Amino acid sequence: MLDLPRDGDAPPARRDGVPPPGAAGTEPSGSPSPDVPGGPAERPGGGRVTPGPGGAAGPSGPAGDGAEREGTAGRLDDALLGGPRRWSMRDLAVRLGVGVDEVRAYWRTLGLPHADPDELLLTEADARAMERSTALVRDKGLQAATVTSLVRALGHTSDRLALWQVEALVEDLGTRLGLDDVSARLLVIDRLPEIVPLLEEQLVHSYRRQLAAIAGRYAAEFGEAAAPGDDPLALPLARGVGFADMVSFTRRTARLGPVELSEFVQRFEAATRDVVAAEGGRVVKTIGDAVLFAADDPATGARVALGLAEAFGVDPATPVDAATGAGHAGRMPKLGAVKGQPRTGAREAEGLPTAGGATPVRVGFVWGRVLSRFGDVFGPSVNLAARLTDAADPGTVLVDAPTASALAHDAELRCAPVGTRELSGLGPVDAFRLERLAG
């Protein structure tokens, strides 16, 4: 058994000399909360705030001396990492009875910056996390390569999640309190210790719900599945996959300011995810100005594809009620001119694009077999869907002949032949425009 410190063990002295939270003389000086009117964050003109000693927001000024910065770093370590940085990688390797290269490989797999093996970097929580990973091999019988993949998944997704959430908080504070970007970022650092516990609980809840959803789909799909086919090279999962790609994204966003570009991208991301989820599909990933989605059956995938084409194919002059989506058959409000949404009048007067401009999408959809790995999907049908997307007209959905055949008996859909399309890297493909029948 590894000789890890017990919770009751007295921690060694902090390298920065800062006593732990709650020690005498370390309480904040009683600075007003940034949320309280008149507090540092709401100075006229949106003045800059910086975390002061103990984390309290202080007035504009120099970044502070080294002791102040070390104090803030120590407070964040206590709140986010559970305690001080006790060990170097070399120390932890000795404690865990493994080679230092193994500790460095674990750290690298998490996607964290490479460190000097003698730097005091690691906490007790880091030691326990690595022990849990080795226990998956030792006690659960998993292959080491599998554990590496699991750790890499955590590092990849948590890095993106942390960045997404921090940037959302920065934008919230900057907009709500009238702060410049630097001040908002400093204030987010100050606020992290109080908000992280709530975000962490939400993360665990969301993760378990997603696992339960996957388990439910697998139980329904494979619980009474027939024996595997004779083709050992066949990809394992029958899935519908499709892309929705913004038309002229570069031209539409080239002259947007940072706030407007953020609104534009956020609205596209939120709307695509809402449409896909409402129709029963799943967003695999977003890729800049495009979204890749998947569905478990042809009909669901077709409705996702049509839902995306319909949701974004709107005249920019058409007013849409953001609350009800009136005029769109109960579907998501399109990314057109949303009635009641603030617009940047100066930009409109100059004829410049704004986040409210219509954003048609091209959509390609294919039913076929895929390999699902690393949170992504792979296979010829994915490539074909991407190429069909490139060939589609704005606001329309293209499918191939096998997908059209799979949808032939759906009374609500029609696949109209549009001729042969020469697709890059694939050659000539018979294409069909997917349409929803009136009625």
Side-chain angles (χ1 to χ4, degrees), residues 5-140:
R6 303 295 188 267
D7 291 340
D9 290 349
R14 284 277 292 278
R15 288 186 297 131
D16 55 17
V18 178
T26 63
E27 292 299 321
S29 61
S31 299
S33 167
D35 273 344
V36 177
E42 293 192 295
R43 287 188 187 81
R48 179 170 297 180
V49 295
T50 60
S60 299
D65 58 25
E68 177 177 316
R69 289 194 298 273
E70 286 291 316
T72 299
R75 184 179 67 93
L76 289 171
D77 279 0
D78 288 336
L80 302 181
L81 304 181
R85 304 184 186 217
R86 297 169 178 257
W87 306 310
S88 69
M89 290 187 175
R90 200 177 305 279
D91 295 334
L92 185 58
V94 172
R95 182 174 290 275
L96 298 180
V98 299
V100 67
D101 288 343
E102 188 172 339
V103 177
R104 297 184 73 175
Y106 174 82
W107 196 251
R108 184 172 60 251
T109 301
L110 276 176
L112 294 168
H114 295 184
D116 186 320
D118 294 313
E119 178 186 355
L120 292 182
L121 175 72
L122 306 173
T123 68
E124 179 179 340
D126 293 319
R128 295 190 183 282
M130 189 168 179
E131 160 61 7
R132 286 192 293 268
S133 290
T134 58
L136 289 172
V137 177
R138 184 188 63 233
D139 300 337
K140 304 299 182 182

Side-chain angles (χ1 to χ4, degrees), residues 410-433:
D410 193 312
E412 298 179 355
L413 304 175
R414 175 177 60 190
C415 294
V418 293
T420 299
R421 301 294 173 92
E422 189 71 27
L423 303 184
S424 176
L426 298 177
V429 172
D430 292 335
F432 297 74
R433 179 177 291 116

Side-chain angles (χ1 to χ4, degrees), residues 252 256 260 263-264 343-345 347-348 352-358:
R252 292 171 182 275
L256 292 179
E260 292 160 320
E263 289 178 355
F264 188 94
R343 301 295 294 270
T344 310
R347 295 188 66 83
E348 290 181 333
L352 301 178
T354 71

